[in-house]
Amino acid sequence: LKLTSLYENEELSPKTIEFYLWNTLRIITLFLLLGWFIAGLLTAGILWPPQIRKWILVQKTSKEMIRQDKISGKPVVEEMKESLKAMRHDFFLGRARNRNEVVSIMTEAHKVKSDLMEDLGQIKEYLLTLLEKRERQQQQQQTQQNLLR
């Protein structure tokens, strides 16, 4: 049933008051429907009845599209599963590589630290040796000065 079919058999002329009442009613209806439509847009379809929401917001599918989806749907899903498995495998391999890199960096850092500690120990020994030599030289100088007096 179309709304325009309701007005096909009207025999109204601009000379009658019914003509003006019907047209006023049509204009009011038009504004109410536009307002309702705009309010529905603003509320993402909440103010629309379910039929209007379905008609406007749901994607139209043809029988051909449904048939193609049934035919091609399974390979696509299988392909996506394989792709997901490959991505998961790559992710875990990447994590393992990163873990190995972290371990090697930590080993290297430990080696550098131990080398540094050895070098500092050697420097300490050299400084102690120099200090002892200096003290001996000072003592020798003092003994020589004491002998000369």
Side-chain angles (χ1 to χ4, degrees):
L1 179 70
K2 291 187 175 186
L3 291 177
T4 55
S5 66
L6 296 175
Y7 300 108
E8 285 179 1
N9 294 332
E10 287 185 21
E11 300 275 338
L12 298 176
S13 69
K15 295 178 183 174
T16 63
I17 191 139
E18 294 163 346
F19 172 80
Y20 294 107
L21 289 175
W22 275 110
N23 284 330
T24 305
L25 182 62
R26 287 177 185 169
I27 292 171
I28 290 172
T29 305
L30 175 70
F31 283 115
L32 283 174
L33 288 176
L34 282 175
W36 186 27
F37 181 76
I38 292 170
L41 284 177
L42 294 176
T43 60
I46 292 174
L47 297 178
W48 292 334
Q51 298 86 351
I52 301 292
R53 262 184 265 145
K54 183 178 177 183
W55 182 69
I56 292 177
L57 299 176
V58 175
Q59 178 182 357
K60 280 52 168 182
T61 56
S62 66
K63 291 180 183 178
E64 180 67 25
M65 290 172 67
I66 292 170
R67 190 169 54 79
Q68 285 179 353
D69 285 345
K70 286 181 181 176
I71 293 171
S72 67
K74 290 181 182 177
V76 170
V77 170
E78 294 300 322
E79 183 181 317
M80 289 175 71
K81 283 181 182 178
E82 291 299 321
S83 174
L84 184 61
K85 283 181 187 177
M87 285 177 20
R88 189 176 292 145
H89 180 70
D90 291 344
F91 174 74
F92 286 118
L93 279 179
R95 282 184 61 189
R97 272 189 242 118
N98 288 344
R99 190 175 299 127
N100 291 340
E101 286 178 19
V102 168
V103 168
S104 68
I105 289 172
M106 288 178 68
T107 305
E108 234 178 276
H110 182 68
K111 184 180 178 222
V112 167
K113 181 181 175 184
S114 63
D115 290 346
L116 182 63
M117 294 305 285
E118 285 178 24
D119 291 345
L120 286 175
Q122 287 178 352
I123 291 172
K124 183 179 177 182
E125 286 180 30
Y126 291 145
L127 287 175
L128 287 175
T129 308
L130 286 173
L131 186 63
E132 287 175 7
K133 279 186 177 182
R134 185 174 177 199
E135 287 177 359
R136 273 191 246 137
Q137 284 178 351
Q138 285 178 352
Q139 285 177 357
Q140 285 176 356
Q141 285 176 354
Q142 283 180 355
T143 53
Q144 284 177 357
Q145 285 178 355
N146 287 341
L147 289 176
L148 289 176
R149 288 187 197 171

PDB file of all heavy atoms in Angstrom, residues 74-90:
ATOM      1  N   LYS A  74      33.823 -19.947   2.929  1.00  0.00           N
ATOM      2  CA  LYS A  74      34.683 -20.909   3.616  1.00  0.00           C
ATOM      3  C   LYS A  74      36.148 -20.718   3.273  1.00  0.00           C
ATOM      4  O   LYS A  74      36.986 -20.707   4.178  1.00  0.00           O
ATOM      5  CB  LYS A  74      34.205 -22.327   3.319  1.00  0.00           C
ATOM      6  CG  LYS A  74      32.887 -22.642   3.994  1.00  0.00           C
ATOM      7  CD  LYS A  74      32.421 -24.048   3.730  1.00  0.00           C
ATOM      8  CE  LYS A  74      31.077 -24.275   4.397  1.00  0.00           C
ATOM      9  NZ  LYS A  74      30.539 -25.601   4.105  1.00  0.00           N
ATOM     10  N   PRO A  75      36.512 -20.576   2.001  1.00  0.00           N
ATOM     11  CA  PRO A  75      37.942 -20.348   1.714  1.00  0.00           C
ATOM     12  C   PRO A  75      38.479 -19.064   2.346  1.00  0.00           C
ATOM     13  O   PRO A  75      39.627 -19.016   2.785  1.00  0.00           O
ATOM     14  CB  PRO A  75      37.996 -20.272   0.195  1.00  0.00           C
ATOM     15  CG  PRO A  75      36.792 -20.993  -0.278  1.00  0.00           C
ATOM     16  CD  PRO A  75      35.757 -20.775   0.789  1.00  0.00           C
ATOM     17  N   VAL A  76      37.649 -18.036   2.397  1.00  0.00           N
ATOM     18  CA  VAL A  76      38.095 -16.778   2.996  1.00  0.00           C
ATOM     19  C   VAL A  76      38.376 -16.976   4.473  1.00  0.00           C
ATOM     20  O   VAL A  76      39.390 -16.511   5.001  1.00  0.00           O
ATOM     21  CB  VAL A  76      37.043 -15.663   2.769  1.00  0.00           C
ATOM     22  CG1 VAL A  76      37.370 -14.437   3.583  1.00  0.00           C
ATOM     23  CG2 VAL A  76      36.932 -15.331   1.306  1.00  0.00           C
ATOM     24  N   VAL A  77      37.498 -17.710   5.145  1.00  0.00           N
ATOM     25  CA  VAL A  77      37.692 -17.962   6.578  1.00  0.00           C
ATOM     26  C   VAL A  77      38.951 -18.791   6.789  1.00  0.00           C
ATOM     27  O   VAL A  77      39.749 -18.506   7.690  1.00  0.00           O
ATOM     28  CB  VAL A  77      36.449 -18.669   7.168  1.00  0.00           C
ATOM     29  CG1 VAL A  77      36.723 -19.155   8.578  1.00  0.00           C
ATOM     30  CG2 VAL A  77      35.253 -17.728   7.151  1.00  0.00           C
ATOM     31  N   GLU A  78      39.138 -19.809   5.968  1.00  0.00           N
ATOM     32  CA  GLU A  78      40.334 -20.644   6.094  1.00  0.00           C
ATOM     33  C   GLU A  78      41.597 -19.823   5.838  1.00  0.00           C
ATOM     34  O   GLU A  78      42.607 -19.979   6.531  1.00  0.00           O
ATOM     35  CB  GLU A  78      40.261 -21.836   5.128  1.00  0.00           C
ATOM     36  CG  GLU A  78      39.157 -22.811   5.448  1.00  0.00           C
ATOM     37  CD  GLU A  78      39.297 -23.421   6.828  1.00  0.00           C
ATOM     38  OE1 GLU A  78      40.434 -23.706   7.249  1.00  0.00           O
ATOM     39  OE2 GLU A  78      38.268 -23.587   7.504  1.00  0.00           O
ATOM     40  N   GLU A  79      41.528 -18.950   4.846  1.00  0.00           N
ATOM     41  CA  GLU A  79      42.674 -18.091   4.539  1.00  0.00           C
ATOM     42  C   GLU A  79      42.990 -17.164   5.702  1.00  0.00           C
ATOM     43  O   GLU A  79      44.153 -16.959   6.054  1.00  0.00           O
ATOM     44  CB  GLU A  79      42.367 -17.280   3.275  1.00  0.00           C
ATOM     45  CG  GLU A  79      43.508 -16.407   2.806  1.00  0.00           C
ATOM     46  CD  GLU A  79      43.134 -15.622   1.567  1.00  0.00           C
ATOM     47  OE1 GLU A  79      42.505 -16.205   0.652  1.00  0.00           O
ATOM     48  OE2 GLU A  79      43.480 -14.432   1.517  1.00  0.00           O
ATOM     49  N   MET A  80      41.940 -16.625   6.307  1.00  0.00           N
ATOM     50  CA  MET A  80      42.141 -15.741   7.452  1.00  0.00           C
ATOM     51  C   MET A  80      42.735 -16.516   8.631  1.00  0.00           C
ATOM     52  O   MET A  80      43.592 -15.999   9.350  1.00  0.00           O
ATOM     53  CB  MET A  80      40.826 -15.079   7.846  1.00  0.00           C
ATOM     54  CG  MET A  80      40.349 -14.044   6.846  1.00  0.00           C
ATOM     55  SD  MET A  80      38.737 -13.377   7.247  1.00  0.00           S
ATOM     56  CE  MET A  80      39.125 -12.388   8.658  1.00  0.00           C
ATOM     57  N   LYS A  81      42.288 -17.763   8.846  1.00  0.00           N
ATOM     58  CA  LYS A  81      42.842 -18.579   9.933  1.00  0.00           C
ATOM     59  C   LYS A  81      44.328 -18.838   9.701  1.00  0.00           C
ATOM     60  O   LYS A  81      45.132 -18.744  10.630  1.00  0.00           O
ATOM     61  CB  LYS A  81      42.092 -19.913  10.031  1.00  0.00           C
ATOM     62  CG  LYS A  81      40.743 -19.813  10.684  1.00  0.00           C
ATOM     63  CD  LYS A  81      40.083 -21.183  10.771  1.00  0.00           C
ATOM     64  CE  LYS A  81      38.716 -21.099  11.382  1.00  0.00           C
ATOM     65  NZ  LYS A  81      38.060 -22.432  11.430  1.00  0.00           N
ATOM     66  N   GLU A  82      44.679 -19.175   8.458  1.00  0.00           N
ATOM     67  CA  GLU A  82      46.090 -19.419   8.134  1.00  0.00           C
ATOM     68  C   GLU A  82      46.917 -18.152   8.335  1.00  0.00           C
ATOM     69  O   GLU A  82      48.025 -18.194   8.856  1.00  0.00           O
ATOM     70  CB  GLU A  82      46.232 -19.929   6.694  1.00  0.00           C
ATOM     71  CG  GLU A  82      45.679 -21.315   6.483  1.00  0.00           C
ATOM     72  CD  GLU A  82      46.386 -22.352   7.325  1.00  0.00           C
ATOM     73  OE1 GLU A  82      47.624 -22.269   7.475  1.00  0.00           O
ATOM     74  OE2 GLU A  82      45.692 -23.250   7.853  1.00  0.00           O
ATOM     75  N   SER A  83      46.368 -17.037   7.909  1.00  0.00           N
ATOM     76  CA  SER A  83      47.061 -15.758   8.072  1.00  0.00           C
ATOM     77  C   SER A  83      47.266 -15.447   9.553  1.00  0.00           C
ATOM     78  O   SER A  83      48.335 -14.985   9.967  1.00  0.00           O
ATOM     79  CB  SER A  83      46.265 -14.647   7.393  1.00  0.00           C
ATOM     80  OG  SER A  83      46.832 -13.399   7.656  1.00  0.00           O
ATOM     81  N   LEU A  84      46.241 -15.714  10.353  1.00  0.00           N
ATOM     82  CA  LEU A  84      46.336 -15.471  11.790  1.00  0.00           C
ATOM     83  C   LEU A  84      47.383 -16.382  12.422  1.00  0.00           C
ATOM     84  O   LEU A  84      48.176 -15.943  13.270  1.00  0.00           O
ATOM     85  CB  LEU A  84      44.974 -15.690  12.449  1.00  0.00           C
ATOM     86  CG  LEU A  84      44.871 -15.398  13.929  1.00  0.00           C
ATOM     87  CD1 LEU A  84      45.198 -13.933  14.204  1.00  0.00           C
ATOM     88  CD2 LEU A  84      43.489 -15.735  14.440  1.00  0.00           C
ATOM     89  N   LYS A  85      47.422 -17.653  11.993  1.00  0.00           N
ATOM     90  CA  LYS A  85      48.441 -18.569  12.511  1.00  0.00           C
ATOM     91  C   LYS A  85      49.841 -18.076  12.156  1.00  0.00           C
ATOM     92  O   LYS A  85      50.754 -18.114  12.980  1.00  0.00           O
ATOM     93  CB  LYS A  85      48.234 -19.970  11.936  1.00  0.00           C
ATOM     94  CG  LYS A  85      47.109 -20.738  12.571  1.00  0.00           C
ATOM     95  CD  LYS A  85      46.985 -22.121  11.947  1.00  0.00           C
ATOM     96  CE  LYS A  85      45.760 -22.853  12.456  1.00  0.00           C
ATOM     97  NZ  LYS A  85      45.604 -24.167  11.793  1.00  0.00           N
ATOM     98  N   ALA A  86      50.013 -17.623  10.909  1.00  0.00           N
ATOM     99  CA  ALA A  86      51.323 -17.121  10.477  1.00  0.00           C
ATOM    100  C   ALA A  86      51.725 -15.887  11.281  1.00  0.00           C
ATOM    101  O   ALA A  86      52.884 -15.752  11.703  1.00  0.00           O
ATOM    102  CB  ALA A  86      51.297 -16.801   8.983  1.00  0.00           C
ATOM    103  N   MET A  87      50.769 -14.981  11.500  1.00  0.00           N
ATOM    104  CA  MET A  87      51.072 -13.772  12.283  1.00  0.00           C
ATOM    105  C   MET A  87      51.444 -14.151  13.712  1.00  0.00           C
ATOM    106  O   MET A  87      52.380 -13.589  14.291  1.00  0.00           O
ATOM    107  CB  MET A  87      49.868 -12.826  12.271  1.00  0.00           C
ATOM    108  CG  MET A  87      49.690 -12.101  10.972  1.00  0.00           C
ATOM    109  SD  MET A  87      48.238 -11.019  10.818  1.00  0.00           S
ATOM    110  CE  MET A  87      47.729 -10.662  12.433  1.00  0.00           C
ATOM    111  N   ARG A  88      50.717 -15.098  14.302  1.00  0.00           N
ATOM    112  CA  ARG A  88      51.004 -15.532  15.664  1.00  0.00           C
ATOM    113  C   ARG A  88      52.402 -16.154  15.738  1.00  0.00           C
ATOM    114  O   ARG A  88      53.174 -15.877  16.650  1.00  0.00           O
ATOM    115  CB  ARG A  88      49.940 -16.537  16.112  1.00  0.00           C
ATOM    116  CG  ARG A  88      50.018 -16.883  17.576  1.00  0.00           C
ATOM    117  CD  ARG A  88      48.901 -17.805  18.002  1.00  0.00           C
ATOM    118  NE  ARG A  88      47.638 -17.101  17.947  1.00  0.00           N
ATOM    119  CZ  ARG A  88      46.489 -17.665  17.609  1.00  0.00           C
ATOM    120  NH1 ARG A  88      46.425 -18.932  17.306  1.00  0.00           N
ATOM    121  NH2 ARG A  88      45.375 -16.957  17.598  1.00  0.00           N
ATOM    122  N   HIS A  89      52.733 -16.990  14.739  1.00  0.00           N
ATOM    123  CA  HIS A  89      54.051 -17.623  14.689  1.00  0.00           C
ATOM    124  C   HIS A  89      55.154 -16.564  14.586  1.00  0.00           C
ATOM    125  O   HIS A  89      56.157 -16.611  15.310  1.00  0.00           O
ATOM    126  CB  HIS A  89      54.105 -18.580  13.499  1.00  0.00           C
ATOM    127  CG  HIS A  89      55.407 -19.286  13.340  1.00  0.00           C
ATOM    128  ND1 HIS A  89      55.838 -20.259  14.215  1.00  0.00           N
ATOM    129  CD2 HIS A  89      56.395 -19.144  12.411  1.00  0.00           C
ATOM    130  CE1 HIS A  89      57.018 -20.688  13.833  1.00  0.00           C
ATOM    131  NE2 HIS A  89      57.377 -20.035  12.740  1.00  0.00           N
ATOM    132  N   ASP A  90      54.964 -15.597  13.686  1.00  0.00           N
ATOM    133  CA  ASP A  90      55.945 -14.513  13.528  1.00  0.00           C
ATOM    134  C   ASP A  90      56.092 -13.714  14.815  1.00  0.00           C
ATOM    135  O   ASP A  90      57.199 -13.310  15.190  1.00  0.00           O
ATOM    136  CB  ASP A  90      55.542 -13.584  12.383  1.00  0.00           C
ATOM    137  CG  ASP A  90      55.671 -14.251  11.030  1.00  0.00           C
ATOM    138  OD1 ASP A  90      56.338 -15.305  10.942  1.00  0.00           O
ATOM    139  OD2 ASP A  90      55.092 -13.708  10.059  1.00  0.00           O
TER     140      ASP A  90
END
